[in-house]
């Protein structure tokens, strides 16, 4: 009879960690796919208010039941301002006047943001324009975080996100080629919900003077 070596506790723990890493990767993949599919449905809808309602109800379901939810156990689902059609804009983009890169340390390294464009069309209503960033790295992506006069009181003091195309958050373009910025879709980063997450936050320069009472709120 050939003796079979007993697996050690260390080997079993290693296998368990690998299995958990695989499960986590799969569920994160699924979360991002569902978010990407959600925004694709939003872009295809002609009624912006109905699209915002779909966004809210789908996010509530994901936050409540998905393994990758940023919510801590027992925490309430996201809350929102009432839909405001005045907070939906179709804006032009101009080259960024300041192209100095912005480096943000996060738990697993550094996020490098390169300003590439500035909005044209928000100042008269919201008291300023916003800089759009390109997230450097393989594939890259557009990132538009912002602060406003609600930041720190009615919304997270670290700001909110409007576009993050790496994560699928993309509202698309108007028929005339302008980009859609609908602040009714503004949302808090995951680090607002839990210290388990580390998120890139907007630079202080990406601040609107007005109160943007649209999108996600505290």
């Amino acid at each position: 009879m050939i003796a079979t070596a007993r697996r050690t506790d260390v080997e079993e723990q290693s296998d368990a960690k690998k299995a958990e890493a695989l499960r986590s990767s799969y569920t994160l993949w699924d979360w991002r796919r569902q978010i990407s599919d959600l925004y694709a449905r939003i872009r295809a809808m002609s009624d912006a208010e109905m699209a915002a309602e779909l966004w809210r109800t789908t996010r509530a379901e994901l936050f409540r039941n998905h393994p990758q939810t940023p919510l801590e156990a027992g925490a309430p689902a996201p809350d929102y301002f009432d839909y405001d059609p005045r907070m939906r804009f179709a804006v032009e983009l101009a080259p960024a006047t300041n192209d100095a890169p912005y480096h943000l340390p996060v738990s697993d390294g550094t996020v490098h943001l390169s300003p590439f464009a500035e909005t044209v069309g928000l100042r008269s209503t919201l008291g300023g324009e916003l800089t759009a960033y390109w997230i450097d790295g393989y594939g890259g992506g557009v990132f538009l975080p912002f602060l406003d006069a609600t930041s720190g009181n009615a919304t997270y003091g670290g700001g909110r996100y409007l576009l993050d195309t790496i994560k699928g958050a993309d509202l698309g373009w108007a028929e005339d080629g302008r980009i859609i910025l609908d602040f009714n879709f503004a949302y808090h980063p995951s680090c607002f919900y839990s210290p388990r997450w580390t998120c890139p936050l907007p630079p202080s320069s990406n601040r609107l003077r007005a109160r943007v009472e649209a999108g996600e709120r505290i």
Side-chain angles (χ1 to χ4, degrees):
M1 177 180 294
I2 301 176
T4 302
R6 181 181 180 277
R7 290 175 55 79
T8 66
D9 290 344
V10 172
E11 289 173 328
E12 290 178 351
Q13 290 173 6
S14 176
D15 286 349
K17 288 181 180 179
K18 290 177 181 178
E20 174 59 25
L22 177 60
R23 186 197 69 82
S24 179
S25 296
Y26 173 78
T27 57
L28 180 58
W29 182 359
D30 180 70
W31 174 280
R32 292 192 177 179
R33 177 186 55 77
Q34 291 200 50
I35 294 295
S36 181
D37 289 349
L38 171 61
Y39 276 86
R41 293 173 65 188
I42 288 167
R43 291 192 297 271
M45 297 177 71
S46 59
D47 188 316
E49 186 169 359
M50 288 185 63
E53 182 60 25
L54 171 67
W55 180 71
R56 296 179 184 195
T57 56
T58 304
R59 291 183 85 231
E61 176 67 19
L62 287 170
F63 274 63
R64 185 167 51 246
N65 296 316
H66 199 279
Q68 285 289 338
T69 177
L71 292 181
E72 296 292 338
D79 191 20
Y80 302 92
F81 293 101
D82 291 338
Y83 184 87
D84 186 349
R86 298 171 299 176
M87 290 293 103
R88 181 179 176 86
F89 302 87
V91 303
E92 296 179 358
L93 293 179
T97 55
N98 180 5
D99 60 0
Y102 185 56
H103 307 291
L104 293 168
V106 294
S107 59
D108 56 354
T110 302
V111 175
H112 303 279
L113 304 177
S114 297
F116 76 96
E118 293 178 359
T119 62
V120 179
L122 300 178
R123 189 176 305 278
S124 61
T125 303
L126 301 182
E129 301 294 345
L130 294 174
T131 297
Y133 297 88
W134 189 260
I135 300 179
D136 293 336
Y138 180 76
V142 176
F143 183 50
L144 184 55
F146 72 97
L147 297 150
D148 68 277
T150 70
S151 301
N153 48 82
T155 63
Y156 177 42
R160 290 180 286 171
Y161 295 174
L162 190 54
L163 303 178
D164 186 357
T165 62
I166 288 179
K167 307 291 180 57
D170 181 357
L171 295 172
W173 302 80
E175 291 182 358
D176 59 4
R178 292 179 296 168
I179 189 171
I180 298 296
L181 298 181
D182 189 337
F183 289 88
N184 293 286
F185 292 86
Y187 63 96
H188 290 136
S190 297
C191 54
F192 165 73
Y193 298 103
S194 171
R196 293 181 291 121
W197 302 85
T198 303
C199 309
L201 298 177
S204 58
S205 57
N206 238 30
R207 179 182 290 272
L208 299 167
R209 295 179 182 176
R211 289 181 63 84
V212 179
E213 295 181 337
E216 195 173 343
R217 62 178 299 170
I218 294 175

